Amino acid sequence: MPDQEHQVVASGPAPTPREVANVRDTDPDAPLPRSPDERSADGPFAAIRLATILMVDDDNVMLLAVEAFLDAVGYRKFVTTTDPTETLALVDKHRPDVLLLDLVMPGMSGFDVMAQVRARDEYRFLPIIVLSGETDPAARLRALEMGATDFLMKPVDPSELQLRVRNTLAFKAYQDRLADYMPVTGLRNRRRFEMDLRQMLGETSDSTASCALLNIDIDRFKHVNDTLGYRVGDALLDAIARRIERLAHDVEAGLIAAAGETDVRVNIAHISGNGFGLLVACLRDAGNAERVVRTVLKGFAAPFEVDGHEVFVTASIGISLHPLDAKDADDLLTHAEMAMYQAKRKGRGHHEFYSQEFNARAAERGSLEADLRRAIERSELEVYYQPKLCIASGRVIGAEALVRWHHPRLGMVSPVRFIPIAEESGLIVDIGRWVLYEAGRQLKKWQKQGLGLSVSVNVSAAQFTRSAILRDVRQLLSAAGIDPAALVLEVTESLLMSNIDEAVALLKAVRALGVRISVDDFGTGYSSLGYLRWLPLDELKIDRSFVMGLPGEKDSIAIVNAVIAMAHALNLEVVAEGVETAEQLDALKGMRCDEFQGYLCSPPVPAAKFAQLLDAQTAQRLDAATPPA
Ligand code: C2E
Ligand code: CA
Ligand code: CA
């Protein structure tokens, strides 16, 4: 007898033909009921009657008898075969909850079937009840040894069969619940979601339909836990899960009614502490994914009632599409997650579709970050120095230390590319310290040669904490024995403004060591000049973007003029950055700017080349200095 499947619709509320998977009361393989009111008069075992039972026996009469016995107590989903060689394929196809297996069959024994099934990782824990007329205790022992979960003697006693099947299924339901469901929400977990996804994509691989996967991450959930406690946090997650269940219904109904997506299926899961997955399968038009996202985002507008609190919650959503963005389940999940992180960057309550670009960008970032971790110990970093000149005298009076990375494969990588990676990964702390010491060493050399130069070092926000920067600077000063006044730390406006009180205290402490402070890229951040008077500063660097507009652009002239006047009123030296032409320098001179840096004199160069530059300076006047190629 070939594979037979008889599904009789169970008594009670008939499932609608368009079930949303995962909704417990219509879910064909739901775990044990979660709350007492979900239990029918049948008691706690009602749900397991929805189990799929696979029976393999060469004796057709036996199959019919067993089915009748089990049908009598409410089981409805049976798959039967008399051909043992079909077993594995049937398990794959129907994912039974229990396998009833005869031992002695022509062609293939029950032992061999068991070995075949157990060899597959995903079926290691599939309950197998062996039915056999074999009275030999050794055979029973062998069956149990090979992984049978239970053993039944033929001829089968109906009550014993019913009880053994019930107990086996109850235990499996419990196990499934532990392995596949999130305790807090009762929704499928990530592992199970992945399995379902894999299966679903396998089924739809040859069709023209698409799937949209939404990674829904609750914003600032940690904040809820921290402020209202874990109990409320858990209750909130549960409320969110129920809302997402409803949204899944809405999404499905909306797609069918308004977009004509008659085949669409929606599946949800609880895939991380505060993250949910929503899969829309069998979409005819992938463009409808946008509609799904809107429904979900709108669904978060109303507050959640939790433990007497009204809690407003937003979610960030990342979306990836199959087959457009990913061919398999793993990629689909990862890409939706990447898109979600991208959405989070935009703030709360945003969404973002996956794009190939992130992939390339993230991959590049990832590999650059890994390489950067080893850059210091492999001596791939070098400090270049750009001369800083006094405009009035035309003489080099200092140098800005700018880090360079000689990547073994990519060649020279610009700091514009790797400094942000270093900042986000925290590597900037080590790199910045290394640059500081390296620049300090160089400064010491110059001081020994009697050169009255200053050295400026760039400092990032992550380095600029009380413990880190103060300790490093103190250590450098005492170890190298350099004149602190010759050391300048360049900090940016945004660093200062992000926490102004702490910044002021820290700047004071650094300045108390005799070190000077410069504000870098001035004009690009908070353009309010007023706050400067409250900060203990020595120097201000006008950003290159303003210098670029000189001498022609009225706005640039006005801004540069105002900045110089105000800085002088506050007793700050003014440095112009990125001076490239003689005309720009002339204009700055006219505006009484004090110092400049820029390609007009020289780009940043290695220390040895910087020495040559100084030699040339003593030999000839600045005007003769050659601009770079
Ligand atoms: P920054 O501190 O504003 O440095 C000035 C940048 O302008 C340097 O780029 C320099 O090479 C470039 N520059 C100088 N003169 C001219 C010019 O006339 N024309 C043009 N077009 N550009 C000019 P660089 O060396 O690529 O550094 C870029 C940024 O990377 C720096 O901007 C700084 O923010 C960061 N950076 C570099 N080294 C370090 C470091 O050791 N630590 C930290 N935290 N940041 C660093
Ligand atoms: Ca700088
Ligand atoms: Ca700058």
Side-chain angles (χ1 to χ4, degrees):
M1 183 171 70
D3 158 25
Q4 284 185 0
E5 188 182 5
H6 347 257
Q7 291 200 8
V8 185
V9 175
S11 51
T16 53
R18 318 203 31 79
E19 302 173 339
V20 172
N22 249 336
V23 177
R24 285 182 314 280
D25 53 352
T26 57
D27 189 351
D29 51 352
L32 285 173
R34 299 177 64 243
S35 64
D37 51 18
E38 286 169 22
R39 291 172 191 163
S40 71
D42 251 3
F45 296 107
I48 61 178
R49 303 258 154 77
L50 296 164
T52 300
I53 298 167
L54 171 61
M55 299 189 282
V56 182
D57 197 315
D58 58 314
D59 178 355
N60 209 358
V61 177
M62 187 66 198
L63 288 176
L64 289 173
V66 168
E67 188 177 325
F69 295 153
L70 293 174
D71 183 88
V73 285
Y75 295 101
R76 292 295 182 268
K77 285 188 185 173
F78 301 99
V79 181
T80 57
T81 183
T82 50
D83 178 1
T85 62
E86 273 191 336
T87 313
L88 192 60
L90 290 176
V91 173
D92 277 337
K93 187 171 168 204
H94 298 280
R95 307 253 157 189
D97 297 284
V98 62
L99 168 59
L100 301 184
L101 182 63
D102 185 21
L103 265 192
V104 184
M105 293 176 286
M108 191 176 189
S109 80
F111 291 118
D112 294 337
V113 171
M114 240 188 305
Q116 203 183 43
V117 170
R118 288 284 185 242
R120 289 270 294 274
D121 212 43
E122 66 258 56
Y123 305 136
R124 265 189 315 150
F125 301 111
L126 172 69
I128 301 177
I129 301 177
V130 166
L131 294 142
S132 174
E134 190 74 67
T135 44
D136 177 13
R140 298 172 65 163
L141 212 59
R142 177 147 176 249
L144 291 170
E145 222 169 15
M146 289 196 60
T149 27
D150 208 348
F151 198 97
L152 259 169
M153 284 298 289
K154 284 182 184 175
V156 171
D157 170 67
S159 312
E160 191 185 353
L161 171 76
Q162 288 156 0
L163 286 173
R164 285 193 191 271
V165 166
R166 187 196 75 175
N167 290 351
T168 300
L169 286 172
F171 187 67
K172 170 157 191 295
Y174 175 72
Q175 268 190 324
D176 284 353
R177 175 102 188 257
L178 288 185
D180 292 343
Y181 292 81
M182 291 293 259
V184 179
T185 56
L187 296 184
R188 282 154 206 239
N189 61 17
R190 188 186 176 104
R191 193 190 79 91
R192 177 60 186 266
F193 191 52
E194 266 181 58
M195 271 167 50
D196 293 348
L197 194 57
R198 232 170 264 138
Q199 194 183 354
M200 184 126 34
L201 295 184
E203 283 169 8
T204 59
S205 62
D206 52 357
S207 85
T208 53
S210 301
C211 289
L213 177 65
L214 277 65
N215 182 309
I216 305 170
D217 204 80
I218 308 306
D219 296 320
R220 284 165 52 86
F221 184 74
K222 191 179 169 308
H223 180 73
V224 174
N225 267 340
D226 290 348
T227 53
L228 301 176
Y230 283 95
R231 236 172 41 84
V232 175
D234 283 357
L236 177 61
L237 277 178
D238 194 47
I240 291 172
R242 304 289 81 79
R243 171 108 26 116
I244 291 179
E245 272 176 353
R246 267 216 311 285
L247 287 171
H249 276 292
D250 293 352
V251 161
E252 207 176 81
L255 286 173
I256 294 165
E261 290 277 6
T262 46
D263 297 327
V264 59
R265 272 187 292 161
V266 180
N267 208 314
I268 63 173
H270 182 176
I271 56 177
S272 71
N274 57 327
F276 296 85
L278 187 147
L279 176 74
V280 185
C282 304
L283 263 180
R284 277 205 209 122
D285 178 1
N288 282 326
E290 183 80 44
R291 170 193 292 274
V292 174
V293 176
R294 274 203 307 273
T295 308
V296 175
L297 283 176
K298 231 195 274 158
F300 275 84
F304 293 86
E305 263 279 331
V306 178
D307 206 24
H309 301 272
E310 264 202 348
V311 186
F312 282 92
V313 166
T314 58
S316 298
I317 303 181
I319 310 105
S320 64
L321 302 170
H322 171 90
L324 183 71
D325 300 328
K327 305 281 173 265
D328 62 39
D330 288 346
D331 283 354
L332 198 63
L333 277 159
T334 334
H335 291 172
E337 194 172 339
M338 283 165 70
M340 182 274 289
Y341 284 122
Q342 201 65 25
K344 288 239 183 212
R345 295 220 171 112
K346 295 202 277 185
R348 300 197 258 152
H350 286 279
H351 74 280
E352 185 78 71
F353 280 83
Y354 171 80
S355 94
Q356 213 71 52
E357 241 172 82
F358 305 159
N359 214 1
R361 229 184 303 152
E364 186 203 81
R365 265 190 101 85
S367 81
L368 270 190
E369 187 186 317
D371 293 347
L372 195 53
R373 272 181 204 286
R374 292 181 285 267
I376 297 180
E377 60 195 59
R378 292 186 184 169
S379 311
E380 290 166 8
L381 298 181
E382 185 183 359
V383 177
Y384 275 31
Y385 298 90
Q386 182 175 43
K388 183 177 171 190
L389 296 90
C390 167
I391 293 182
S393 70
R395 301 192 67 83
V396 176
I397 54 164
E400 178 176 358
L402 292 155
V403 68
R404 294 292 179 264
W405 182 14
H406 305 279
H407 189 283
R409 198 163 32 80
L410 302 171
M412 181 86 95
V413 180
S414 162
V416 177
R417 227 170 119 195
F418 75 83
I419 291 289
I421 297 176
E423 286 178 333
E424 273 179 38
S425 59
L427 288 169
I428 193 65
V429 175
D430 287 343
I431 292 174
R433 186 182 294 128
W434 182 83
V435 172
L436 182 69
Y437 278 72
E438 188 61 27
R441 221 177 38 80
Q442 188 58 54
L443 179 58
K444 178 70 191 172
K445 262 195 203 164
W446 286 331
Q447 287 185 348
K448 269 194 187 151
Q449 293 168 21
L451 300 168
L453 296 173
S454 69
V455 168
S456 303
V457 177
N458 293 283
V459 178
S460 289
Q463 289 173 269
F464 204 70
T465 65
R466 185 165 275 274
S467 53
I469 197 77
L470 267 181
R471 191 191 50 221
D472 290 348
V473 170
R474 239 190 238 122
Q475 227 166 53
L476 172 70
L477 293 178
S478 67
I482 49 177
D483 171 16
L487 182 64
V488 183
L489 299 186
E490 295 192 1
V491 295
T492 59
E493 277 177 277
S494 46
L495 182 155
L496 295 174
M497 298 311 293
S498 62
N499 187 350
I500 193 143
D501 293 336
E502 201 179 314
V504 170
L506 199 45
L507 291 179
K508 281 189 177 147
V510 172
R511 263 174 117 225
L513 300 172
V515 172
R516 302 196 304 141
I517 308 287
S518 172
V519 181
D520 204 355
D521 305 338
F522 188 78
T524 56
Y526 299 74
S527 21
S528 147
L529 301 172
Y531 76 90
L532 280 183
R533 79 180 71 234
W534 308 111
L535 297 171
L537 302 171
D538 302 280
E539 178 188 280
L540 196 152
K541 299 184 88 170
I542 300 178
D543 191 66
R544 187 163 64 89
S545 54
F546 301 107
V547 174
M548 245 157 52
L550 300 178
E553 275 175 32
K554 280 211 184 91
D555 284 357
S556 299
I557 298 172
I559 292 169
V560 173
N561 252 323
V563 170
I564 293 173
M566 187 226 37
H568 282 163
L570 294 173
N571 265 327
L572 305 178
E573 303 258 328
V574 184
V575 184
E577 290 188 303
V579 177
E580 295 183 350
T581 68
E583 289 74 27
Q584 289 170 342
L585 185 59
D586 273 348
L588 288 161
K589 203 172 196 167
M591 293 188 257
R592 314 208 24 218
C593 183
D594 305 299
E595 290 150 24
F596 85 97
Q597 289 177 229
Y599 292 176
L600 177 63
C601 172
S602 166
V605 290
K609 188 125 185 253
F610 192 87
Q612 291 171 12
L613 229 107
L614 290 174
D615 291 345
Q617 175 182 263
T618 46
Q620 56 185 138
R621 293 193 51 75
L622 162 75
D623 317 68
T626 37

